[in-house]
Structure formats: C-alpha cells, structure tokens
Amino acid sequence: MNTVAANIKQQSANQPQTIYKVLIILGLCHLLNDSLQAVVPAMFPILQKSMSLSYTQLGIIAFALNMVSSIMQPVVGWYTDKKPMPYALPIGLTSTLIGIILLALVPSYTLVILSVMLIGIGSAIFHPEGSRVAYMAAGTKRGLAQSIYQVGGNTGQALAPLITALILVPLGQIGGLWFAPVALTAVLLLAYIANWYTSQLAINRKKKTAGSTVTKSLTKKIWIALAILLFLIFARSWYISCMTNFYAFYLIQQYSFSIRESQIYIFAFLAAGALGTFFGGPLADRFGRRNVILMSLIGSMPLTILLPYVPAPLAFVLLLLIGFILMASFSVMVVYAQELVPGKVGTMAGLTVGLAFGMGAVGSVALGSLADAAGLPLTIKMVGLLPLLGLLGLFLPTDSKLEEWKKEI
C-alpha cells in the first residue's frame, strides 16, 4: 500500500501545476485590454452624431480596428512560437495607450482610423502572447485556464455599453481620456507577467535538454478539421459583430429606446457572454471540447432566429440566453485548435482569436452596407440564421480522436 501511495504521490508531483495567480492577473490584463478596445464601438453613437457618419463608415472604423489585429495576430503567434518575446506584452499595450489618447482628441474621421489602428496593433500583440502565458500556467486544466484568460477579455468587451451610457454620453469623445490610466495600469501589470514568462522560458529550456521535439507536416484530415473550426468561428463572429455594432441602433428604431437604454441591452448580451466564456472551459474539460462547441452553436440557433420577432422585455431575456450559450465556445475553440495542432500554441491562438477579430471586421463592413441598402430590421433577421452553420461542427473529430491524431504527428 505504501508503494502504491508513493507512486500516486510521485505521479501527482510530476503533473504540471495550475498557476492561478498568473492566470488571474492575466485575466485582469485581458479585461483592461479589451475594455480599451471596447471604447471604439462604444463611441460609435457619439461619432455618428458629431461627424455625421453612415453605418458603412462606422463599419469601416470597426474594420480598421479588427482587421489590423486579425492580420497581425497569426503572424505574431507564428513568430513567437519560434522566438518567444515576453516583453512584447507591455510594449503592445503601450501602442494601445497611445491610440486611446489620440481617439479621445482627434477631430477628423481619417485620424480616428489611425487611432483605432494603433489600438488594433496593441491587441494583435497581446492576444497570442497572452494565450501562450495562459497555456504555460494551465497545468492540466487547459480549458479552465483559457476560460479565466478569455473571460477577462469578454468582460472588458461587455463594458462597452456601460462606457457609452456612463462616460461617453455625458462627456462625449473627450471622455476617452478617462481610459488612459486604465491602459497604463495594464502596461505595468504586463511587465510583471513578462518577468514570470521570462523565468518560465528559462525553466523550459533546461527541460528541453533532456529530449527534442520533432515537428511533422500536418495531415489532410487535420487541415480539414481546422478549416471547419475556422468556418464556425466565422459564423459566430459575424453574429456577435452585428449585435455589438448595430443592434443598439435596431433597439432605438424598433422600440424607441434612448441610447442609454439600448446600451443596457447590449451590456446584458455581452455580460452573459462573459459568463458563458468562463463556464465553457470547465464544461469542456469535463464533457469534451467538441460537445461544448456543438452545444454552443446549435443550442443558440432557435433563439437567434426568434429574437427579431419578440417584444422588448422578451428580447432582453433572449439576449441573456444567446450571449451565454453562444460565447460558451469562445475559449473552447482556442484550446481545441491548440490540441489539433500541438506545439503551435501562439499560432493557433493568433489564428482562432485573430480570425474572430478579422471576421468581425469584414462582417462590420458587410453588415453595415447591408443595413444601409436593405434596412436594419432585415439585416438583424438574416444574421439570426448564422448559427445554423454550427451544424458543420458535427464533422469535427471527437476529443478521443484528437488524442489518436496527436500520436501520428
């Protein structure tokens, strides 16, 4: 019995530990980073009035923000897989700090675009490296770790409507300066994370001297599974982009809401999404990542279709349910991609999260143009059909199949 107990203790000691302190600080930094990014769509109603912008022009602002981030994230992830750069984290947030200050002060549409591009650059550097740190600190609880990291970001995004209602409506564009101290706080916290990251790299280098890793070409079936996963991210991102950028205008038109009232509904959607993100990871650790992905998209489908046809009080309830269910797959898809392609943590994080930003960017322009041409009510109804594409998730390999594939790579 003593021998068995000793073996169990030894196996437990050999398991990597989950570093909750690092994960919590990282989640807080993600909250701060994405709350800064959320200032951009939160400022849309203000900019629309002050600069007389169309829905298409607002979509182009979102495109500039998200496309810069989308293009750069996979590149940053790919490069840092080869050569990790811990101090890129605080440097990236410094770019965001500069962008947020400019956004509060600039008088023209062109300079607004430049400002949001700087914010996008900061986000592009932060997300793949932040996901890598979460992976390093996860131990055996990768789903939970990624959820702690991602829930910070989604909570930051959920603050956008409150930012509009409480700060930007009374103060206007100049209210963006309130977020400069937030950006500076994030820079300082990420300097601490960068120190821990550096120490972990030194430890990992010593471990690698005991053996080497061999990178093999990805098989055709892995490429197909990755393509399906990215397509599902496309469907989810377009829906969320429509809700965050344009649903407030729909509420104002259809229900005669004020800007402040409409932002409460958007906050409810995003806050429920943040809660769903947190629970999605632990649920995936227990019930399987593929199962949670399917539940998220297919489960939200009837609710998104019904949403445009219900009265305002019921719409609020549906927004809570849709946000929770749809965003439960956010962190799960990142971990699924990382396990689909082992050894490419940064690349997969940059690709999955970056694609979410990129598809949101394309969606912002496309949906803004559709709203200008066909009307906002029809646009909202059409977008409600997007989760139907979640049925493609039935073709994703199961978690047990992924474990088999890992042995072949």
Side-chain angles (χ1 to χ4, degrees):
M1 290 294 292
N2 289 337
T3 302
V4 173
N7 288 337
I8 293 174
K9 186 176 181 180
Q10 180 63 36
Q11 289 175 4
S12 178
N14 290 336
Q15 292 288 339
Q17 298 298 305
T18 304
I19 314 299
Y20 288 102
K21 179 181 178 181
V22 169
L23 290 172
I24 291 170
I25 294 174
L26 187 64
L28 177 60
C29 289
H30 201 178
L31 186 154
L32 297 176
N33 176 83
D34 282 27
S35 66
L36 294 168
Q37 192 165 332
V39 171
V40 178
M43 204 176 278
F44 277 4
I46 309 301
L47 294 175
Q48 186 191 43
K49 284 191 173 182
S50 64
M51 297 184 181
S52 301
L53 303 181
S54 67
Y55 290 131
T56 302
Q57 287 176 307
L58 292 176
I60 290 171
I61 294 174
F63 179 86
L65 171 69
N66 294 326
M67 188 52 69
V68 167
S69 177
S70 174
I71 291 172
M72 286 188 63
Q73 276 193 53
V75 175
V76 171
W78 171 81
Y79 183 78
T80 54
D81 275 336
K82 297 177 177 294
K83 186 179 180 181
M85 300 175 63
Y87 286 93
L89 286 165
I91 292 171
L93 256 291
T94 301
S95 174
T96 299
L97 171 61
I98 296 169
I100 208 72
I101 292 172
L102 287 176
L103 182 62
L105 299 174
V106 295
S108 70
Y109 178 68
T110 302
L111 291 176
V112 167
I113 297 293
L114 175 62
S115 302
V116 301
M117 288 178 69
L118 288 172
I119 296 171
I121 289 170
S123 180
I125 295 172
F126 173 80
H127 282 100
E129 283 297 87
S131 187
R132 185 194 308 281
V133 173
Y135 189 92
M136 293 169 69
T140 58
K141 300 179 180 179
R142 291 180 184 171
L144 175 61
Q146 198 64 224
S147 283
I148 293 172
Y149 168 62
Q150 296 291 356
V151 76
N154 287 349
T155 303
Q157 293 170 19
L159 293 175
L162 296 184
I163 290 169
T164 301
L166 301 178
I167 298 176
L168 298 180
V169 168
L171 298 180
Q173 186 177 346
I174 195 69
L177 285 178
W178 278 63
F179 299 94
V182 174
L184 182 59
T185 300
V187 170
L188 296 176
L189 287 173
L190 286 174
Y192 170 83
I193 291 292
N195 284 330
W196 180 85
Y197 185 177
T198 302
S199 67
Q200 287 300 115
L201 289 176
I203 294 171
N204 290 342
R205 286 192 195 101
K206 291 180 181 179
K207 288 181 179 179
K208 285 182 180 179
T209 58
S212 59
T213 57
V214 179
T215 302
K216 298 181 180 179
S217 299
L218 301 184
T219 61
K220 181 180 179 181
K221 55 191 176 185
I222 290 179
W223 280 114
I224 292 173
L226 184 59
I228 293 172
L229 182 68
L230 296 180
F231 194 76
L232 295 180
I233 292 173
F234 149 80
R236 188 191 63 201
S237 298
W238 270 48
Y239 184 82
I240 294 172
S241 174
C242 180
M243 299 303 288
T244 55
N245 290 325
F246 301 116
Y247 191 69
F249 298 108
Y250 177 83
L251 291 168
I252 292 168
Q253 288 182 16
Q254 297 299 112
Y255 303 120
S256 300
F257 278 20
S258 66
I259 292 177
R260 191 184 298 269
E261 288 171 330
S262 70
Q263 296 305 313
I264 293 173
Y265 273 58
I266 304 303
F267 171 73
F269 171 74
L270 294 174
L275 194 62
T277 297
F278 178 76
F279 282 102
L283 286 172
D285 283 339
R286 181 165 184 176
F287 298 108
R289 314 205 196 290
R290 177 179 178 269
N291 291 337
V292 171
I293 292 170
L294 285 172
M295 177 278 297
S296 172
L297 290 165
I298 297 176
S300 62
M301 177 176 59
L303 305 178
T304 60
I305 293 173
L306 183 61
L307 180 64
Y309 302 97
V310 299
L314 184 54
F316 186 83
V317 176
L318 289 181
L319 284 171
L320 290 174
L321 294 172
I322 293 168
F324 183 90
I325 297 171
L326 192 60
M327 291 304 291
S329 63
F330 191 90
S331 62
V332 180
M333 287 183 172
V334 178
V335 177
Y336 188 94
Q338 290 172 339
E339 295 186 350
L340 187 63
V341 187
K344 299 293 183 182
V345 176
T347 304
M348 288 301 103
L351 188 61
T352 52
V353 180
L355 185 72
F357 282 112
M359 288 300 98
V362 174
S364 296
V365 176
L367 295 172
S369 299
L370 179 61
D372 282 333
L376 198 52
L378 179 60
T379 301
I380 297 296
K381 291 174 183 177
M382 292 177 64
V383 167
L385 299 173
L386 283 173
L388 279 168
L389 298 175
L391 293 170
L392 287 172
L394 293 169
F395 297 99
L396 287 173
T398 62
D399 293 50
S400 58
K401 182 64 69 175
L402 282 186
E403 289 298 321
E404 294 177 16
W405 288 4
K406 282 183 185 179
K407 299 173 184 177
E408 300 174 7
I409 297 178

